[in-house]
Amino acid sequence: MTNGDNAARPKLPFLAVVAFISCTLIRPSSGFVDVSGSNHAEEPNNDEHPSLPSASSQATEDEYDDDFFPPIADSDDISYFFSTYDLDGLHWALSNIFALSPRNPQNNVNKSIRRELSPKLVSRGGGDNYTTEYKLLHDLEQARYLARVLKESKPSVADYFQSTVIPIYEEVLKNIPPLEDLSRTKGLYAFTKADYESGIGNVYNKALYIETADEINPTWHTQNGGSLLNNQLDFEGIQNNWFGHGQNSPTTSTTSIPGALVVDNLLSTSALQTIRQLLLRNTHWYQTKTPLEFGKYVGSYVDDGLHDPLFLQLAKQLHESMPRIMKGHELKYMWAYKYDSEWESGIRLHADQAAVNVNLWVSLDGADLEVEGFGGGLVVFTAKPPANWDFESYNTNTEFVIDHLLRPTNFANLTIAHKPNRAVIFDSALFHQTDRYRFKKGYENGRINLTLLFGEMKMGDGDDGNAGRARVGQEL
């Protein structure tokens, strides 16, 4: 084969190579090796970290050398496994990478298999040597919640949060200056020597408690005929609506924008309850935003802890249920966000690098105060980035986007109010932003959304505002 032939071949994702060379070495017939473990005995594994067993219990230094797994999976890796619906393989890869990372508190003890945190995770707000006041308050509220709800079922775990984790968070919070004094760092606070002496390095941004869907609901695989989705939904009608030639149904509404639709009651009741519990209990909320720049919300990502098999199965079932919409679009990424109820603005104007965006609200019923003028949902504009713009151009220069793309369309948009178990499915290249919200205070009452991205972004034509208008909803 010539060099030219080699250059023309598509690059195989790194994890595809890993999966190939390891399939007969460490992947059992059950489908994957999960060295991330699960908590999950009533008694802690050791006195310091009761939740996540040591990676070395199933993986030795010889089995996992420094180069065996990459420090983070990328979208090509995720799409590679998903393209054949190899969900076991995808979970195997994601869970092994996660277990070998500093997120696993056992790796503080077993230095032989510990890695440094990926610079990508640090740069997007998931570092472990800095925080924000609102992020640490979220973690404190979650720790108090876990200490309460696990008191009967897992008393030693509950005691660990009550006696160890909560006092550390409370002590460090006392050291964080007021937000106005952190203008230079846009609200970020770097941990000090005093904070580390208090023990923050042992608990912050660690997988202190991970509960699986199998533990929460052992029959989730078979309930509702094995479907996580509402069996009453008409997915053929949903797809017709996407392409602009359908009619409203009791569960689906067309919109003024082809390529954007609203689906109520997307999930089955049991699936919604299980997902809520996963997102409330699991300590995989590692991302903080700079509050003086982006607002106050915490994030969890598929390449950094949000990889329970139920989430991967949900992606598969959505993909299978809408074959015309999803044609050629594999799962690319997934995240969940929790929003600070003390704030009222969420994610600012942006477009995502994907073809199809499924945005699902899983907040508790009754948490949204439903104040007039605070819809709490999503605003989707009719404009797309022009083809010659790059990611930084359309996601950092907000004023330019407003003046050159949105204003020429008279800010034409679709505004969807928040509602639990409501999904907005839309062309991910369309500019969108969180609508203003007001939710009840309290950890369980926060606004929570789960987002799944499929395929590659299809940007607008041309290089100016008018040419950047969307052409969506065209059937492949």
Side-chain angles (χ1 to χ4, degrees):
M1 181 176 291
T2 66
N3 290 335
D5 290 330
N6 278 324
R9 296 183 65 187
K11 179 183 177 182
L12 188 64
F14 181 83
L15 282 177
V17 179
V18 171
F20 176 77
I21 65 175
S22 64
C23 61
T24 59
L25 299 177
I26 64 172
R27 288 185 69 181
S29 58
S30 60
F32 58 85
V33 173
D34 183 3
V35 301
S36 67
S38 35
N39 169 39
H40 309 278
E42 179 175 312
E43 295 301 319
N45 292 296
N46 60 40
D47 292 337
E48 185 177 10
H49 299 297
S51 180
L52 200 62
S54 170
S56 64
S57 65
Q58 296 186 33
T60 67
E61 184 177 3
D62 291 336
E63 289 172 314
Y64 295 102
D65 61 41
D66 288 342
D67 297 323
F68 194 85
F69 286 99
I72 188 171
D74 62 24
S75 59
D76 287 339
D77 295 320
I78 294 168
S79 295
Y80 172 82
F81 286 104
F82 192 81
S83 65
T84 57
Y85 292 149
D86 183 6
L87 303 189
D88 283 348
L90 179 55
H91 181 259
W92 162 83
L94 294 170
S95 58
N96 274 283
I97 293 171
F98 185 70
L100 293 169
S101 78
R103 304 300 193 206
N104 185 345
Q106 297 300 331
N107 292 345
N108 288 339
V109 178
N110 188 354
K111 304 291 186 180
S112 64
I113 60 172
R114 178 178 177 174
R115 297 178 169 189
E116 295 300 317
L117 200 60
S118 165
K120 180 178 179 181
L121 300 181
V122 175
S123 66
R124 74 184 184 199
D128 53 12
N129 62 352
Y130 61 86
T131 190
T132 57
E133 182 182 42
Y134 82 87
K135 166 67 163 66
L136 203 56
L137 280 170
H138 163 273
D139 293 356
L140 174 60
E141 288 183 346
Q142 186 178 35
R144 288 171 174 166
Y145 168 79
L146 290 170
R148 184 179 76 253
V149 300
L150 299 177
K151 188 174 183 179
E152 298 297 327
S153 61
K154 298 176 181 177
S156 58
V157 177
D159 180 68
Y160 169 70
F161 279 97
Q162 187 64 54
S163 63
T164 301
V165 180
I166 291 174
I168 293 173
Y169 288 158
E170 290 176 333
E171 185 64 28
V172 175
L173 274 166
K174 297 176 185 177
N175 300 332
I176 300 179
L179 189 59
E180 57 267 23
D181 293 344
L182 295 171
S183 58
R184 185 179 63 84
T185 58
K186 300 179 181 179
L188 292 181
Y189 168 75
F191 293 129
T192 65
K193 180 180 179 181
D195 298 328
Y196 285 110
E197 289 174 349
S198 297
I200 194 66
N202 296 325
V203 297
Y204 183 72
N205 273 0
K206 305 293 184 186
L208 300 179
Y209 187 79
I210 299 295
E211 192 169 73
T212 68
D214 286 342
E215 292 177 282
I216 295 170
N217 181 5
T219 63
W220 72 266
H221 301 271
T222 57
Q223 283 182 329
N224 196 39
S227 177
L228 299 170
L229 305 175
N230 179 358
N231 282 334
Q232 301 302 311
L233 292 175
D234 174 15
F235 280 103
E236 186 62 28
I238 288 172
Q239 292 180 96
N240 288 338
N241 290 346
W242 172 274
F243 296 111
H245 45 76
Q247 295 182 350
N248 290 348
S249 71
T251 57
T252 310
S253 62
T254 57
T255 69
S256 58
I257 310 174
L261 51 86
V262 179
V263 180
D264 283 336
N265 302 311
L266 178 71
L267 302 176
S268 69
T269 300
S270 61
L272 177 62
Q273 292 172 344
T274 303
I275 286 175
R276 281 174 172 166
Q277 188 161 324
L278 285 169
L279 296 179
L280 286 172
R281 293 194 175 193
N282 288 341
T283 61
H284 50 40
W285 298 93
Y286 305 129
Q287 185 198 49
T288 182
K289 294 292 185 179
T290 48
L292 293 178
E293 185 178 20
F294 295 108
K296 297 183 178 182
Y297 57 96
V298 298
S300 180
Y301 296 86
V302 68
D303 56 0
D304 195 21
L306 189 71
H307 56 251
D308 189 274
L310 182 145
F311 292 120
L312 306 182
Q313 182 63 222
L314 174 61
K316 176 177 180 284
Q317 291 184 13
L318 286 168
H319 196 264
E320 289 181 318
S321 297
M322 299 180 286
R324 287 190 284 145
I325 295 175
M326 296 294 187
K327 184 178 180 181
H329 305 317
E330 313 299 344
L331 178 68
K332 182 176 181 180
Y333 208 56
M334 187 188 317
W335 63 66
Y337 289 138
K338 286 185 192 173
Y339 300 77
D340 190 333
S341 293
E342 300 286 345
W343 212 248
E344 62 181 37
S345 61
I347 301 176
R348 66 184 190 179
L349 186 69
H350 68 289
D352 292 310
Q353 292 181 304
V356 181
N357 184 315
V358 180
N359 183 90
L360 171 66
W361 294 306
V362 295
S363 319
L364 292 182
D365 295 296
D368 189 344
L369 292 173
E370 299 183 3
V371 177
E372 186 176 354
F374 293 82
L378 193 67
V379 181
V380 182
F381 294 91
T382 61
K384 281 185 174 184
N388 64 337
W389 285 24
D390 58 25
F391 181 82
E392 184 174 357
S393 297
Y394 59 77
N395 274 342
T396 60
N397 196 341
T398 304
E399 293 303 318
F400 189 86
V401 170
I402 291 173
D403 290 338
H404 289 79
L405 294 181
L406 302 189
R407 198 178 305 280
T409 70
N410 198 27
F411 299 94
N413 73 84
L414 168 70
T415 299
I416 307 101
H418 169 274
K419 183 180 179 181
N421 205 12
R422 168 175 283 175
V424 185
I425 305 174
F426 62 99
D427 183 333
S428 198
L430 294 173
F431 284 104
H432 53 283
Q433 64 188 31
T434 306
D435 199 5
R436 294 196 305 165
Y437 63 88
R438 283 190 179 171
F439 277 63
K440 293 179 181 178
K441 296 180 181 179
Y443 176 71
E444 296 175 77
N445 292 320
R447 181 186 188 275
I448 307 175
N449 76 275
L450 177 67
T451 297
L452 301 93
L453 300 182
F454 298 86
E456 299 298 326
M457 173 187 275
K458 297 185 183 301
M459 300 171 74
D461 297 326
D463 58 2
D464 57 34
N466 290 327
R469 291 182 183 176
R471 291 198 307 163
V472 296
Q474 295 177 346
E475 190 156 6
L476 297 176

